[in-house]
Amino acid sequence: MVFFNKNHMRPNTIIVSLLLIVFLAQNAKAQQNTGFRQEKVFYPQVNENNTVTFKLKAPLAQQVILSGDWEADKGKGEMQKDSNGLWSFTTVPLPSDIYNYRFIVDGVQILDPNNSFQTRDVGTLFSIFIINKGKGDYYSVNDVPHGNVIRTWYHSNSFKSDRRMVVYTPAGYEGSKKKYPVLYLLHGSGGDEEAWINSGSVIRIMDNLIAEGKAEPMIVVMPNGNPSKQAAPGETKDNLNYRPAMSNTFSGYKDGTYEDSFKEIIEFTDSHYNTIPQKTKRAVAGLSMGGFHSLYISANLPDMFSYVGLFSPGLNYNGININTHAYSNLDEKLLSLKKSGVKLYWIGVGKEDALLGAITTYRNTLDSLKFPYTYKESTRGHLWTNWRSYLLEFAPQLFKN
Amino acid sequence: MVFFNKNHMRPNTIIVSLLLIVFLAQNAKAQQNTGFRQEKVFYPQVNENNTVTFKLKAPLAQQVILSGDWEADKGKGEMQKDSNGLWSFTTVPLPSDIYNYRFIVDGVQILDPNNSFQTRDVGTLFSIFIINKGKGDYYSVNDVPHGNVIRTWYHSNSFKSDRRMVVYTPAGYEGSKKKYPVLYLLHGSGGDEEAWINSGSVIRIMDNLIAEGKAEPMIVVMPNGNPSKQAAPGETKDNLNYRPAMSNTFSGYKDGTYEDSFKEIIEFTDSHYNTIPQKTKRAVAGLSMGGFHSLYISANLPDMFSYVGLFSPGLNYNGININTHAYSNLDEKLLSLKKSGVKLYWIGVGKEDALLGAITTYRNTLDSLKFPYTYKESTRGHLWTNWRSYLLEFAPQLFKN
């Protein structure tokens, strides 16, 4: 008996196949007593006009709210129930991007039970979907050569512990002796070494930009930027007792120790990967707290980076000791960096970002020092949609000569 | 102002801190309009006696069922609501293990909104927790040296496409020229190259067994065993339109093409990693469909593997063409394998596994061929709790001489 032979799919075969699926689902349930998802498939449906239809079977619920991270309608939608208890909502057309969402069912925040794909941002899980035909294509897996992704640990003498990082090596790296430039890509205060992968689509972006010849093949190093944390939630000896939170609730937040320790990350990378260990072949960039880190790391190590990217840099100094080694004498440090040469100093921020004022103040400092930089003011606020977009714009400008 | 200084935590500081947390949560919400988890923390609480308390705030719900993969009470619990709409349930004491669970709120299956940690099994997401002081310690991150985990792609001439695999290299591998033995570890028909990591705790198990000196340092290669799938859900060009399902709904299920192609996985591994490329330093093992694959791969390549592990092997032949190249003449192949030498041929199955009869029939075949093997009959059924446990027992027996 042949199941699912596309060329010979007769009606009775289809019925047998459906019965088989039901049997398998029940069988799976018997074997694994939590059971697998039983509902008929209602993924969020991306319609031809880029509207998106959501559905949820919840006959007893009194209210279901859709909550997502798109701009239209502030990402909110009140779902409507039909007589079968199936709730639905269709958005207005959405720009091409990768989006996250949840349902709020009578006040309980849930993932979409019919969507197997999720992401974690800080400590919260979200269901996800992609709108293609635009930026979303860069956040998708395409039929191009794929780089490797390595979770590794380096020993930190500064912190006297092993610490975790994620390393992307471009397609062709493995099994070759070729040497590559390195982008150090830093997360924000809600993140960890998994953040750029979870929410930043960095692997897809790099694979696609490199395959199109728009970006140079490069290694991307994503370390953990929380001094008191060796690794992402679940990856430390605290295991599932690690409660993900914003970094400013952790000890060591912006105390300068991370910036001071950064050289050991570069040394580890240069000694363990096929890098071109020189200033013109190194970039450092980061979002929010990671932008703050990138600013001070590049300023403190003027001979290390020719490319710097500050994505909505977290230039809020509440509770920060500006006289600590890493943060003191910034103007002098910037002048040293300017003197040693910077090929690209790129700053991006959204018009609605609460940090816009602080970033404007910093730009005034750069202007007064005649420090050359590129400035991009995008729409919206302190959001992953911007940070992905900034990476898409920044990465192709790196290591071109 | 110093926030969260443990040594000087005065009451007014605590109040300020709490206000700060509220502010940050609201700020995060403002920035990221999906909002982050707002509830007070009620992780599942593992109590001193290994009972576990679950809580869910759902004032409008009429019924909340806890559904988990532990044996007691068939993993079910009817939660009770207090006057504040907080539902709770406490299990009986549970054996040390890693567990998954969901809540069923008025018929809607949800993850625990207060737990950031989840796993995917086939297409279903589950919240997870660990009970320590036993096997669960091996499924936890401990303060030991950690291996690397690499997601990589190999080119398959058999399938004329790139295919994804996950590779574990033991602590000390990177930056060393030492050569290591290799365990090829295969997933079941609900799985993919991520399954042993998602549900099998393989990284924790190997890190811990190697650190204790119980297992030889080894490379573990986990390829994707679905002929028609290049990679796990979300990692192929189908992106989020890949609907995870049991492999027997995919084309190529147990048609022999995967077994016939396996040599190219070995060749890729030997040419890209520091392996000891010889039979006595290779093992192949797998669960369910992966046990079926391991049986035929080892039988078809008698000079390749000295160690074979069949974990609840899926010896159900419905719809399988037993006369295809990979599956024909099994007795002769087993005699060749016996002749070329097998150091360990390990079979494990649960007493309640529906495959017990088929596996007993296969043992009779082995007995009639005087083929030596080790047999373990555990409790329970076709479950990850068994497969983790089998790996814990199998891995220390590999490559000892």
Side-chain angles (χ1 to χ4, degrees):
Chain A
M1 184 168 188
V2 177
F3 291 125
F4 300 99
N5 182 323
K6 285 177 191 166
N7 302 322
H8 303 281
M9 201 68 155
R10 295 182 305 271
N12 61 338
T13 313
I14 293 172
I15 290 167
V16 169
S17 304
L18 289 172
L19 286 173
L20 181 70
I21 290 170
V22 171
F23 166 76
L24 290 168
Q26 289 175 338
N27 194 37
K29 184 165 188 170
Q31 289 166 1
Q32 172 108 5
N33 60 9
T34 40
F36 290 113
R37 188 157 42 81
Q38 303 288 312
E39 299 86 352
K40 293 284 174 293
V41 175
F42 285 118
Y43 279 68
Q45 169 96 35
V46 178
N47 305 307
E48 195 58 39
N49 60 352
N50 286 355
T51 63
V52 185
T53 301
F54 298 84
K55 292 189 188 277
L56 177 73
K57 184 92 173 177
L60 296 179
Q62 294 169 39
Q63 186 192 49
V64 180
I65 304 288
L66 167 69
S67 174
D69 69 346
W70 48 94
E71 186 170 26
D73 301 322
K74 296 183 178 170
K76 291 283 181 294
E78 181 143 2
M79 298 180 75
Q80 300 300 316
K81 181 157 69 166
D82 72 10
S83 57
N84 294 316
L86 186 66
W87 297 78
S88 58
F89 182 83
T90 297
T91 66
V92 299
L94 300 180
S96 178
D97 206 335
I98 183 166
Y99 292 98
N100 69 39
Y101 70 101
R102 285 181 295 178
F103 297 131
I104 304 171
V105 181
D106 288 340
V108 181
Q109 306 202 357
I110 74 169
L111 297 191
D112 184 344
N114 294 310
N115 187 341
S116 306
F117 299 101
Q118 53 77 36
T119 190
R120 177 179 59 79
D121 195 8
V122 198
T124 306
L125 303 175
F126 299 94
S127 297
I128 58 172
F129 65 94
I130 299 174
I131 305 251
N132 281 103
K133 294 178 253 170
K135 284 178 188 169
D137 294 346
Y138 284 95
Y139 312 150
S140 300
V141 179
N142 291 298
D143 197 7
V144 300
H146 301 301
N148 283 359
V149 182
I150 303 144
R151 269 78 176 178
T152 188
W153 297 77
Y154 69 97
H155 184 73
S156 165
N157 289 317
S158 305
F159 296 113
K160 296 183 175 51
S161 65
D162 291 346
R163 294 174 61 83
R164 194 165 176 266
M165 59 164 68
V166 183
V167 180
Y168 167 87
T169 60
Y173 174 94
E174 202 182 34
S176 147
K177 297 225 180 288
K178 205 184 149 192
K179 292 180 182 297
Y180 293 85
V182 183
L183 164 62
Y184 294 85
L185 189 60
L186 311 184
H187 63 79
S189 67
D192 51 65
E193 72 275 18
E194 300 287 348
W196 270 103
I197 289 181
N198 277 338
S199 304
S201 302
V202 59
I203 308 306
R204 317 305 184 211
I205 290 172
M206 297 313 301
D207 275 357
N208 290 321
L209 286 176
I210 291 169
E212 286 187 351
K214 288 186 177 163
E216 292 295 306
M218 66 183 82
I219 297 167
V220 183
V221 172
M222 293 165 277
N224 187 302
N226 298 309
S228 64
K229 298 293 179 188
Q230 292 177 265
E235 302 292 338
T236 76
K237 63 181 189 291
D238 292 331
N239 289 284
L240 312 186
N241 298 318
Y242 180 138
R243 298 179 183 182
M246 302 298 280
S247 304
N248 47 8
T249 64
F250 300 148
S251 64
Y253 174 68
K254 288 187 181 174
D255 67 357
T257 54
Y258 182 66
E259 293 86 340
D260 282 343
S261 78
F262 202 82
K263 210 167 175 182
E264 61 192 16
I265 293 174
I266 302 171
E267 286 164 357
F268 175 85
T269 304
D270 284 339
S271 63
H272 286 74
Y273 294 87
N274 293 332
T275 66
I276 308 171
Q278 63 192 48
K279 177 178 162 86
T280 57
K281 298 300 176 185
R282 277 196 210 100
V284 62
L287 72 93
S288 197
M289 179 180 81
F292 177 96
H293 284 158
S294 298
L295 188 163
Y296 284 99
I297 289 165
S298 59
N300 283 308
L301 301 170
D303 297 325
M304 280 292 175
F305 299 99
S306 287
Y307 300 86
V308 179
L310 311 182
F311 303 171
S312 318
L315 303 180
N316 40 358
Y317 291 87
N318 280 343
I320 306 303
N321 179 359
I322 205 67
N323 296 316
T324 198
H325 170 266
Y327 307 141
S328 61
N329 304 317
L330 180 60
D331 287 10
E332 287 172 35
K333 290 172 179 172
L334 286 170
L335 288 172
S336 285
L337 178 58
K338 179 185 165 193
K339 193 174 168 195
S340 80
V342 175
K343 288 178 181 286
L344 177 68
Y345 199 91
W346 195 95
I347 303 173
V349 63
K351 285 182 202 304
E352 297 171 26
D353 194 315
L355 290 160
L356 185 62
I359 291 166
T360 305
T361 302
Y362 181 61
R363 289 173 54 213
N364 292 337
T365 298
L366 292 175
D367 290 338
S368 72
L369 298 173
K370 296 188 167 47
F371 190 107
Y373 63 92
T374 302
Y375 179 64
K376 159 93 179 191
E377 201 168 280
S378 70
T379 58
R380 306 194 65 191
H382 209 63
L383 296 166
W384 274 108
T385 184
N386 276 335
W387 302 322
R388 285 186 294 265
S389 202
Y390 298 164
L391 180 61
L392 210 48
E393 190 166 330
F394 179 72
Q397 301 182 59
L398 303 178
F399 315 127
K400 286 296 190 189
N401 46 50
Chain B
M1 185 169 185
V2 177
F3 291 125
F4 300 98
N5 182 323
K6 285 178 191 166
N7 302 321
H8 304 280
M9 199 67 154
R10 294 182 305 272
N12 59 338
T13 313
I14 293 172
I15 289 167
V16 170
S17 304
L18 288 173
L19 287 172
L20 181 69
I21 289 170
V22 170
F23 167 76
L24 291 167
Q26 288 175 338
N27 195 36
K29 184 165 189 172
Q31 291 167 357
Q32 173 106 7
N33 60 9
T34 40
F36 291 113
R37 189 157 40 81
Q38 303 289 313
E39 299 86 351
K40 293 284 175 292
V41 175
F42 285 117
Y43 278 69
Q45 169 95 37
V46 178
N47 305 306
E48 194 58 38
N49 60 353
N50 287 356
T51 63
V52 186
T53 301
F54 299 83
K55 291 188 190 277
L56 177 73
K57 185 92 172 177
L60 295 179
Q62 295 170 37
Q63 186 193 49
V64 180
I65 304 288
L66 167 69
S67 174
D69 69 345
W70 48 94
E71 186 170 25
D73 300 323
K74 296 183 179 170
K76 291 282 179 296
E78 182 142 3
M79 298 181 75
Q80 300 299 317
K81 182 158 68 167
D82 72 10
S83 57
N84 294 316
L86 186 65
W87 297 78
S88 58
F89 182 84
T90 298
T91 66
V92 299
L94 300 180
S96 177
D97 207 333
I98 184 165
Y99 292 98
N100 68 40
Y101 70 101
R102 285 181 296 178
F103 297 131
I104 304 171
V105 181
D106 289 340
V108 181
Q109 306 204 356
I110 74 168
L111 296 191
D112 185 343
N114 294 310
N115 186 343
S116 306
F117 299 101
Q118 53 77 36
T119 190
R120 177 179 59 78
D121 194 7
V122 196
T124 307
L125 304 175
F126 298 94
S127 296
I128 57 172
F129 66 93
I130 299 174
I131 306 250
N132 281 104
K133 294 178 252 169
K135 283 178 188 169
D137 294 347
Y138 284 95
Y139 311 150
S140 301
V141 179
N142 291 298
D143 198 6
V144 299
H146 301 301
N148 283 359
V149 182
I150 303 143
R151 268 80 176 178
T152 188
W153 296 77
Y154 69 97
H155 184 73
S156 166
N157 289 318
S158 305
F159 296 112
K160 295 185 177 49
S161 64
D162 291 345
R163 294 175 61 84
R164 194 166 177 265
M165 58 164 69
V166 183
V167 180
Y168 167 87
T169 60
Y173 174 94
E174 202 182 35
S176 147
K177 296 225 181 288
K178 205 184 148 192
K179 292 180 181 297
Y180 293 85
V182 184
L183 164 61
Y184 294 84
L185 189 60
L186 311 183
H187 62 79
S189 67
D192 52 63
E193 72 274 18
E194 300 287 348
W196 270 104
I197 290 181
N198 278 338
S199 304
S201 301
V202 59
I203 309 306
R204 318 305 184 212
I205 290 173
M206 297 313 301
D207 275 358
N208 291 321
L209 286 176
I210 292 169
E212 286 188 351
K214 288 186 178 165
E216 292 294 307
M218 66 184 82
I219 297 166
V220 183
V221 172
M222 292 165 278
N224 187 303
N226 297 310
S228 64
K229 298 293 179 187
Q230 292 176 265
E235 301 293 337
T236 75
K237 62 181 190 290
D238 291 331
N239 289 284
L240 312 187
N241 297 317
Y242 180 138
R243 299 179 181 182
M246 302 298 279
S247 304
N248 46 10
T249 64
F250 300 150
S251 64
Y253 173 67
K254 289 188 181 173
D255 66 358
T257 55
Y258 183 66
E259 293 86 339
D260 282 343
S261 79
F262 203 82
K263 211 167 174 181
E264 62 192 15
I265 293 175
I266 301 170
E267 286 165 357
F268 176 85
T269 304
D270 285 338
S271 63
H272 286 74
Y273 293 87
N274 293 331
T275 65
I276 308 171
Q278 62 192 49
K279 177 178 162 87
T280 57
K281 299 300 176 185
R282 278 196 209 100
V284 62
L287 73 93
S288 196
M289 179 180 81
F292 177 96
H293 284 157
S294 298
L295 188 164
Y296 283 100
I297 289 165
S298 58
N300 282 308
L301 301 170
D303 297 326
M304 281 291 175
F305 299 100
S306 288
Y307 300 86
V308 179
L310 312 182
F311 303 170
S312 319
L315 303 181
N316 41 358
Y317 290 89
N318 281 341
I320 306 305
N321 180 359
I322 204 67
N323 295 316
T324 198
H325 171 267
Y327 306 141
S328 62
N329 304 317
L330 180 59
D331 287 10
E332 286 172 36
K333 290 171 179 173
L334 286 171
L335 287 172
S336 286
L337 179 57
K338 179 185 164 192
K339 193 173 168 194
S340 81
V342 176
K343 287 177 182 286
L344 178 68
Y345 198 91
W346 195 95
I347 303 173
V349 64
K351 285 183 203 303
E352 297 170 27
D353 195 315
L355 290 161
L356 185 62
I359 291 166
T360 304
T361 302
Y362 181 61
R363 288 174 56 215
N364 291 339
T365 298
L366 293 175
D367 290 338
S368 71
L369 299 172
K370 295 189 166 51
F371 190 107
Y373 64 92
T374 303
Y375 179 63
K376 160 93 178 191
E377 201 169 279
S378 71
T379 58
R380 305 194 65 191
H382 208 65
L383 295 165
W384 274 106
T385 183
N386 276 335
W387 302 323
R388 285 187 293 266
S389 202
Y390 298 165
L391 181 61
L392 211 47
E393 191 167 329
F394 179 71
Q397 301 182 59
L398 303 178
F399 315 125
K400 285 298 190 187
N401 47 49

